Amino acid sequence: MPKVSFYPADKYGDVPEGMSVLDASEKLGLELRHDCGGFATCSTCRVMIVDGVENLSEIDLDEENMLEEAELPTPFRLSCQTMIQGDAVFLIPEPEMDWSKGALRELNALTPMSRAVIRVIVEARARKAGESVILPDTAIPAVEKAKAELEEMGGDKAAVSALIKRVCELP
Ligand code: FES
């Protein structure tokens, strides 16, 4: 049976092949939001893939449309639409932090497809630094740094996952 892990909750275990990531999270005792009940119409069940992208079902049209509408790029997936075919590691992004108006302007200047990933990276670093609100002084260099790191990776999914793993201090 495939082994799956969820961070930062640190829940892991074996789940049947073919089970959705959402069902797997419930089986392991996690309560992931899933407002639309698993019909690919809300995006609240989003997870980030940290490892094992090759062990998951392909993205179908419904999921692709919803990810696009919610501006969620790779490595985000909708857990209700993603079936497990082998070992995989997931990150459930923590609830979003508050950004001041000026800081948010910096984030919103990014392309939609990089915004969600950069937000997770910047917030993880800010949490680690003990900050509770993202202010412009933090946001401007932090967004620039994350943007440069992602650009350097040139769409290499494994490198992006490794960066997220490092920043979020996943084992
Ligand atoms: S539960 Fe709504 S998209 Fe997955």
Side-chain angles (χ1 to χ4, degrees):
M1 280 212 281
K3 270 192 192 344
V4 295
S5 311
F6 291 91
Y7 295 98
D10 207 12
K11 299 271 187 190
Y12 52 88
D14 296 337
V15 297
E17 195 174 329
M19 182 177 253
S20 74
V21 176
L22 180 62
D23 289 343
S25 70
E26 279 175 5
K27 185 178 185 293
L28 297 175
L30 275 174
E31 280 181 28
L32 253 187
R33 267 186 70 183
H34 52 287
D35 294 3
C36 76
F39 289 98
T41 56
C42 73
S43 84
T44 54
C45 67
R46 67 189 68 172
V47 292
M48 285 177 105
I49 314 302
V50 178
D51 265 333
V53 68
E54 68 286 2
N55 293 332
L56 302 170
S57 60
E58 298 279 319
I59 299 180
D60 68 13
L61 200 59
D62 287 343
E63 184 181 5
E64 191 179 317
N65 288 340
M66 191 65 244
L67 287 169
E68 214 173 289
E69 190 181 312
E71 300 181 343
L72 295 170
T74 309
F76 280 97
R77 292 287 306 264
L78 300 180
S79 65
C80 68
Q81 303 298 305
T82 308
M83 305 304 150
I84 296 165
Q85 296 162 344
D87 296 355
V89 179
F90 305 96
L91 173 72
I92 300 169
E94 307 235 29
E96 294 177 347
M97 288 175 77
D98 284 332
W99 290 55
S100 74
K101 231 177 178 177
L104 209 52
R105 207 172 307 129
E106 201 62 27
L107 188 69
N108 289 337
L110 299 168
T111 62
M113 293 313 274
S114 63
R115 196 177 299 147
V117 175
I118 287 180
R119 181 167 198 150
V120 168
I121 293 171
V122 170
E123 290 186 359
R125 285 178 171 151
R127 275 195 193 91
K128 212 186 304 175
E131 292 162 22
S132 52
V133 177
I134 312 272
L135 299 169
D137 283 358
T138 310
I140 295 167
V143 166
E144 280 309 313
K145 181 179 175 188
K147 194 173 145 195
E149 286 168 323
L150 291 178
E151 276 169 6
E152 206 172 295
M153 288 167 192
D156 178 341
K157 290 177 190 168
V160 174
S161 289
L163 173 66
I164 290 166
K165 219 166 158 175
R166 208 166 51 244
V167 169
C168 296
E169 298 183 321
L170 304 183

